[in-house]
Amino acid sequence: PKVVGYMGVQVGDRVRCYGMPIISMEVNTRIEIGAETKLCSISEMTALGVNHPVVLRTVRPGATLIIGRNTGMSGGAICAAVRVEIGDRCLIGANVTITDTDFHTINPVGRHDDSNLDKVASAPVIIEDDVFIGAGATILKGVRIGRNSVVGADSVVTRDVPADSIVAGNPARILKSVFE
């Protein structure tokens, strides 16, 4: 498969963008978009609609954001300070947020204007193959979502999800297996 690089973003063959995604990168970072992936940034191209364009962003030097092959995303935001990796054939519903960082320190002293990113908690997010994340869900730092799993709409995932699980809620809890 052919891979094209543009402004530090590696794009696989037959990637389709419906509308313009917003892509921003810190220096010495990497964004990879796998072949046949679809990024939908306009409401006319998805049943539910989107609140904003797809946003792909790296915020710290050395960060990596990888989207696997044949994955679809509608109007969501993925932000990597360390590493966010999404597997193949995933479906990421409208307006999902995936982030591996808290963005600000927990300590209120300096929370607004402390530029030392080492003080901000961050941990990689790994989403394995064939995961479906429902509209409006939020995936937080340090989470691994196992293959074939489903995350319910508007859920907040704060801990690992085993393979083949359906989770929902805030915080998300296991409801049952996808094979029940």
Side-chain angles (χ1 to χ4, degrees):
K2 172 175 79 170
V3 175
V4 176
Y6 179 74
M7 303 285 293
V9 179
Q10 293 181 339
V11 180
D13 200 24
R14 296 184 307 279
V15 168
R16 286 182 268 168
C17 292
Y18 301 103
M20 292 296 293
I22 297 169
I23 299 175
S24 66
M25 300 174 68
E26 183 59 61
V27 296
N28 298 320
T29 62
R30 188 176 82 198
I31 294 177
E32 295 179 17
I33 303 170
E36 301 176 20
T37 289
K38 297 164 204 70
L39 303 176
C40 184
S41 293
I42 55 175
S43 288
E44 293 80 10
M45 297 303 293
T46 182
L48 183 58
V50 298
N51 292 345
H52 59 76
V54 168
V55 176
L56 304 177
R57 180 165 287 155
T58 58
V59 296
R60 282 191 195 171
T64 302
L65 191 165
I66 299 171
I67 300 173
R69 296 175 54 89
N70 197 22
T71 288
M73 180 176 182
S74 297
I78 304 174
C79 186
V82 179
R83 182 178 189 85
V84 174
E85 186 172 340
I86 298 169
D88 297 338
R89 298 172 307 281
C90 292
L91 293 175
I92 302 171
N95 310 311
V96 165
T97 300
I98 302 169
T99 182
D100 67 354
T101 181
D102 286 342
F103 296 100
H104 302 279
T105 62
I106 299 300
N107 187 334
V109 176
R111 185 181 293 158
H112 286 280
D113 43 9
D114 189 345
S115 61
N116 185 348
L117 296 177
D118 293 331
K119 293 181 182 178
V120 178
S122 299
V125 170
I126 307 296
I127 298 170
E128 296 179 4
D129 296 342
D130 301 301
V131 170
F132 173 28
I133 302 173
T138 301
I139 313 301
L140 296 177
K141 72 180 185 300
V143 167
R144 175 182 287 271
I145 300 176
R147 67 182 321 118
N148 303 322
S149 292
V150 175
V151 175
D154 290 322
S155 295
V156 178
V157 181
T158 60
R159 65 185 91 166
D160 290 353
V161 174
D164 307 319
S165 298
I166 298 173
V167 300
N170 181 3
R173 300 194 191 292
I174 298 172
L175 302 178
K176 61 183 180 177
S177 166
V178 295
F179 298 111
E180 285 182 33

